[in-house]
Amino acid sequence: MRAKPEYRDRDETEVAVLDALADRREEGMTVFELRSRTEENIDRIEDALAALKADDLIEVEDNGERTVILPGEDVVGDDVPDEERSLLDQIRERLPF
């Protein structure tokens, strides 16, 4: 899964974090899981998380045992693989209109 197209014009690390969270939107991810998934350094991930939190695009839950980050309800797009969308649709999503 991926973040919706309207959130894809953000910083590269922010988009990588949103995409990673979209894949595990039910259970969420820890900061360390995000680090291994996005292959970004911890400082960039923390900056991305701060920006995403400020814009209410992520939620943070602390269940006592661990703290997990979840994508906001409206952030995750449809589960349509790139192969099933036309090339034109894929290009439209990436253009900054």
Side-chain angles (χ1 to χ4, degrees):
M1 259 194 215
R2 298 176 60 182
K4 287 182 177 178
E6 57 262 35
Y7 301 113
R8 304 204 68 74
D9 64 346
R10 302 180 68 88
D11 175 78
E12 182 180 317
T13 303
E14 292 176 27
V15 173
V17 166
L18 289 174
D19 284 344
L21 291 172
D23 284 339
R24 298 208 14 218
R25 66 180 176 189
E26 298 298 321
E27 62 271 8
M29 298 178 88
T30 66
V31 173
F32 295 111
E33 290 170 328
L34 282 170
R35 185 179 186 282
S36 68
R37 178 69 189 272
T38 62
E39 298 181 8
E40 293 285 348
N41 72 46
I42 199 76
D43 292 328
R44 288 189 50 90
I45 291 173
E46 287 179 356
D47 291 343
L49 289 173
L52 294 169
K53 180 71 174 156
D55 292 339
D56 292 323
L57 298 178
I58 60 171
E59 299 171 14
V60 179
E61 288 185 1
D62 183 3
N63 65 8
E65 294 179 22
R66 63 187 221 154
T67 301
V68 294
I69 298 120
L70 301 154
E73 290 182 26
D74 297 331
V75 174
V76 179
D78 295 330
D79 191 14
V80 178
D82 285 343
E83 307 84 58
E84 294 181 19
R85 292 193 318 260
S86 73
L87 179 59
L88 186 57
D89 287 339
Q90 293 178 46
I91 292 171
R92 282 185 189 135
E93 288 177 5
R94 296 170 201 257
L95 291 176
F97 291 135

